[in-house]
Amino acid sequence: MKRSSLVLLGAALLTLPLLAGEYYVNLASQILIAAVFALSLNLLVGYCGLTSLGHAAYLGLAAYFSAWFSLKLGLGQLATAPLALACTTLCAALFGLVALRASGLGFLMITLAIGQVLWGLAFRWASVTGGDNGLSGLTRPSPFGLDLGGATAFYYFTLAIAVAAAVAMTLLAGSAVGALMRGTRDQPRRMGALGHNVWLVRYLAYVAAGFFGGVAGLQFVWYHKFVHPYSLSLTASAEALLMVIAGGSGTVAGPVVGAAIVVLLKNYVSSYVERWTMLLGFVFLMIVLFMPEGLVPGLRRAWSRIGGKRA
């Protein structure tokens, strides 16, 4: 992305609370949380070629760990956030040992099974998770004594975390490890023949994706101040996968654009269109038919063609 575009985007994000009402500020916060979640899944789908249908496990685990540490153990937010992230990352490291025993369809089915097991536990283990009632009564953190109860303050807090997470994932994707990830996606046998440990590269990407999924989970539970088994559900995983594919996997801007589309359709358009899921399916169908590589790469390709014709 060009520097001028980044400056305009940054200015728009910083001034949004000054120009929009509380409803739209809250909607923007949800988009930022979804963007971090989609970007974390993109590490697997876009850079490693591993399609997961259980990635909501890490969003939900981080949310539940944070809520449980706060409500059951009485820990403050300063302690619950790193502990929840550490536990979520450890779960990703353990689940990765199982999930990466296969690739392709096998990997997809294993991640789906892991997600469904955790979703079932969240429903049935009511003494820990609250069951169908979830865990409520949570509060938002107060970093440096700042009150994040208001929509504007929480938006800027979420924006800071989202930017930091996006920059970290961008640096990872552009590093030598990111090059290895793309190599295992495109030519796994050749990478193995060159002496690279394909499994280890994928495993590290899986753990990193779980960590950043946990970051999104913390933002999620801080925003809602409530966690429900839905956060672990297949629907939540499918929505994240839809964000990545619709926006353009293997790019930074793609999952962010995809997150904005899904969240806007889910929260804004649904108030005007009763069958908004049908509209979401139609939008996704049009993207797949006319821009199979995703919206962002497709628009870039179309813009380059227009520029070529003008030249």
Side-chain angles (χ1 to χ4, degrees):
M1 188 178 291
K2 294 181 179 180
R3 184 176 298 181
S4 58
S5 301
L6 287 174
V7 171
L8 288 174
L9 177 62
L13 291 173
L14 288 173
T15 57
L16 186 144
L18 305 176
L19 304 175
E22 183 175 335
Y23 172 79
Y24 294 100
V25 173
N26 282 323
L27 193 60
S29 296
Q30 293 183 60
I31 291 174
L32 290 171
I33 295 169
V36 174
F37 186 40
L39 283 169
S40 69
L41 179 58
N42 188 46
L43 291 176
L44 292 177
V45 179
Y47 294 105
C48 291
L50 297 171
T51 304
S52 171
L53 265 179
H55 197 62
Y58 305 111
L59 180 143
L61 281 172
Y64 268 108
F65 277 132
S66 176
W68 196 83
F69 289 148
S70 177
L71 295 175
K72 305 296 183 180
L73 300 184
L75 298 178
Q77 295 288 0
L78 186 63
T80 59
L83 276 175
L85 273 182
C87 291
T88 303
T89 306
L90 178 60
C91 288
L94 295 174
F95 296 153
L97 296 175
V98 178
L100 288 169
R101 293 175 64 87
S103 59
L105 184 59
F107 177 83
L108 184 145
M109 295 305 297
I110 292 174
T111 56
L112 172 61
I114 291 172
Q116 289 299 96
V117 167
L118 292 174
W119 172 77
L121 281 174
F123 259 115
R124 297 296 181 183
W125 203 359
S127 60
V128 174
T129 65
D132 192 31
N133 294 321
L135 296 176
S136 57
L138 302 169
T139 59
R140 291 176 178 174
S142 301
F144 308 107
L146 297 175
D147 182 16
L148 300 181
T152 299
F154 187 77
Y155 167 79
Y156 283 121
F157 177 70
T158 304
L159 177 62
I161 295 177
V163 169
V167 168
M169 284 185 272
T170 302
L171 292 175
L172 176 61
S175 67
V177 176
L180 291 174
M181 288 161 56
R182 291 188 293 274
T184 60
R185 175 196 66 193
D186 299 331
Q187 296 289 342
R189 291 184 179 180
R190 182 173 295 179
M191 292 293 289
L194 290 173
H196 297 290
N197 191 329
V198 174
W199 181 90
L200 181 59
V201 172
R202 289 175 172 174
Y203 180 73
L204 292 175
Y206 189 93
V207 175
F211 171 81
F212 286 109
V215 172
L218 289 178
Q219 293 178 292
F220 178 87
V221 74
W222 290 336
Y223 175 81
H224 293 284
K225 294 182 283 188
F226 170 77
V227 59
H228 184 269
Y230 174 82
S231 62
L232 293 155
S233 68
L234 173 60
T235 302
S237 293
E239 285 180 359
L241 186 58
L242 182 61
M243 295 172 192
V244 174
I245 296 174
S249 62
T251 66
V252 176
V256 177
V257 172
I261 292 173
V262 173
V263 172
L264 287 173
L265 285 172
K266 183 178 179 180
N267 293 276
Y268 185 73
V269 177
S270 62
S271 60
Y272 299 98
V273 180
E274 183 178 356
R275 301 185 183 277
W276 68 271
T277 52
M278 183 181 296
L279 179 60
L280 177 62
F282 178 76
V283 170
F284 182 67
L285 179 63
M286 291 298 101
I287 292 174
V288 170
L289 287 177
F290 297 103
M291 297 180 181
E293 70 272 51
L295 193 60
V296 169
L299 290 175
R300 285 176 179 168
R301 175 168 49 84
W303 182 256
S304 64
R305 285 183 179 178
I306 294 173
K309 289 179 179 180
R310 287 179 178 177

